[in-house]
Amino acid sequence: MPFAPATALLAPLAPWFDARRRPMPWRAGDLDAPHPDPYAVLVSEIMLQQTQVATVIPYFTRWMERFPDAEALAAATEDEVHGLWAGLGYYRRARNLQAAARAIAGAGFPRTLEGLLELPGLGPYTAAAVAAQAFQLPTPALDGNAFRVAARVLALEGDPRRHAAALRDWLAPALAAHGPSRLTQAVMELGATVCTPVPRCASCPLLGACAARARGLQERIPPVQPRAKVTEAEIHLAAIRSPRGWLLCPPASRGLLAGLWSWPRAEAAPELEGAAEAASGYGLEARELPGWVQVYSHRRETVRPIVARMASAPGAQGLEWVPGERLPELPMGRRDQKLRAALDAPGTPLTGAGLAALRTILDEGVSANPRS
DNA sequence: AATTCGTGGTG
DNA sequence: TCACCAAGAAT
């Protein structure tokens, strides 16, 4: 379909961005030159996948201090990489980023869109965004912001992602005309601060050119996406200490929280009678802490934490006893960080359900920790 | 091609 | 409280 030429339509974005852009630690001072540090651009773009700028900034700063270049990242251990990523989410990104750094340390930084797409963790958006910001290539980067801005300016109805190829063709000349790095960031900045899901049209530099606004459709374009279904779960999360340390579930290579350590857990079980007496029979002293609801991308988990102390240290399949002094440095997701921070908090007596969970964990080990 | 990957902000 | 969703990619 024929779109109004983007070069003229989007021209107001360039001066708007030069005047209004937010400071970000990865942004180059000179938007008309290649970026002095393509690795920094890569790190920022991977962290920004499905993650807001304000959340990323402190992670980016710490990351660049510890891993200032691809060589430093390539040489790091998996625990250290995940330690710096812990809490940011989508942990596969951390593993992919280190794999990309190893490829770069060996063969140099790819300077074409096709070469960037070969790096693990870089898809159509990220490869184009790096190419434009690091190397000034006129490669349109279509993220959620860009799709929303384009859909509104052009009054595209339906899911704008259907028009990805046409929109890239539409945007490319505007990138070349106004500067690939500048216009790429300007479109996203507009989407993040003005052309938001609930738009602030009064302060938009494209107000006069916006077809959706002209028709009063700016609130309905683009349409909301159907939600993925969320499964419900209820688990006991157990911090068990013995003379050998804490009993922990070592990192898995795939699935939820891959690359992170976690406390062993068991699905909530039916109530047992006489928990306290049975527990002392095991040489086990335990209490339960206040629970909470942990939300993941497609899972809602009611967490019932337990802190227990055992006189002996039995083996448990797939679980490890970790010395107490190592506990603070292990990479963990938010759920497990929360329990780690509450190990000294007061609690209530162990319930029958809690005892059943501890028995399941000690008897079955990692097999009591089902993949979701 | 539909699912599966975290977490925090916002209205 | 809750829906929505954020500089998406891999499978």
Side-chain angles (χ1 to χ4, degrees):
Chain A
M1 60 184 68
F3 296 145
T7 301
L9 203 60
L10 302 181
L13 277 183
W16 173 84
F17 182 69
D18 287 338
R20 308 300 289 273
R21 59 181 179 149
R22 299 171 290 175
M24 298 176 194
W26 50 85
R27 292 240 235 238
D30 183 0
L31 289 179
D32 295 304
H35 197 288
D37 188 357
Y39 166 77
V41 176
L42 173 63
V43 171
S44 72
E45 285 300 337
I46 298 295
M47 287 187 170
L48 285 163
Q49 289 170 1
Q50 295 293 283
T51 310
Q52 298 190 143
V53 167
T55 303
V56 164
I57 287 175
Y59 282 88
F60 175 84
T61 302
R62 284 192 295 270
W63 187 277
M64 294 301 290
E65 286 169 1
R66 175 56 188 88
F67 307 126
D69 51 39
E71 288 71 23
L73 177 53
T77 67
E78 179 179 329
D79 267 3
E80 196 170 7
V81 168
H82 284 92
L84 282 184
W85 203 277
L88 194 54
Y90 287 149
Y91 298 98
R92 178 168 53 184
R93 295 183 293 174
R95 175 178 296 230
N96 282 338
L97 182 53
Q98 187 183 33
R102 287 176 171 159
I104 290 166
F109 209 108
R111 297 184 178 252
T112 64
L113 184 64
E114 295 71 24
L116 288 164
L117 279 168
E118 297 291 323
L119 295 175
L122 279 74
Y125 162 74
T126 306
V130 172
Q133 297 177 72
F135 305 123
Q136 300 287 1
L137 300 180
T139 51
L142 297 176
D143 72 327
N145 292 308
F147 277 117
R148 186 169 57 249
V149 169
R152 283 178 175 159
V153 167
L154 299 171
L156 296 180
E157 307 200 44
D159 186 345
R161 294 175 298 183
R162 293 178 299 143
H163 302 111
L167 288 174
R168 279 192 282 270
D169 292 342
W170 177 68
L171 276 167
L175 291 176
H178 304 300
S181 181
R182 176 182 295 102
L183 197 67
T184 295
Q185 296 179 73
V187 169
M188 293 190 288
E189 190 90 343
L190 187 77
T193 62
V194 176
C195 196
T196 47
V198 178
R200 301 163 181 147
C201 296
S203 45
C204 182
L206 303 181
L207 178 60
C210 183
R213 169 73 180 195
R215 301 180 200 177
L217 296 176
Q218 67 275 14
E219 304 268 0
R220 311 177 62 84
I221 292 179
V224 297
Q225 333 241 123
R227 280 170 45 80
K229 69 175 169 189
V230 172
T231 65
E232 296 280 349
E234 180 176 353
I235 64 160
H236 291 277
L237 194 63
I240 304 173
R241 178 152 74 172
S242 81
R244 295 177 58 192
W246 295 96
L247 188 61
L248 287 162
C249 193
S253 59
R254 57 180 62 182
L256 191 66
L257 305 178
L260 302 182
W261 292 77
S262 61
W263 300 105
R265 64 192 185 279
E267 303 257 342
E271 194 79 12
L272 295 182
E273 299 299 331
E277 296 74 8
S280 61
Y282 278 85
L284 188 149
E285 214 179 318
R287 68 185 190 281
E288 301 196 8
L289 303 184
W292 67 87
V293 174
Q294 189 71 32
V295 178
Y296 299 103
S297 45
H298 65 292
R299 175 179 170 90
R300 272 177 51 92
E301 200 175 72
T302 300
V303 179
R304 307 211 173 280
I306 302 171
V307 180
R309 184 189 308 266
M310 299 182 66
S312 64
Q317 183 63 38
L319 303 180
E320 274 184 36
W321 291 102
V322 175
E325 60 269 23
R326 278 192 57 205
L327 184 63
E329 66 195 43
L330 299 180
M332 290 180 154
R334 288 296 189 211
R335 177 195 68 193
D336 300 272
Q337 289 178 21
K338 202 174 282 192
L339 177 52
R340 179 169 58 187
L343 292 176
D344 295 322
T348 55
L350 188 67
T351 64
L355 175 63
L358 291 177
R359 293 181 56 181
T360 300
I361 288 164
L362 292 170
D363 290 350
E364 301 177 20
V366 73
S367 62
N369 291 251
R371 292 247 148 270
S372 53

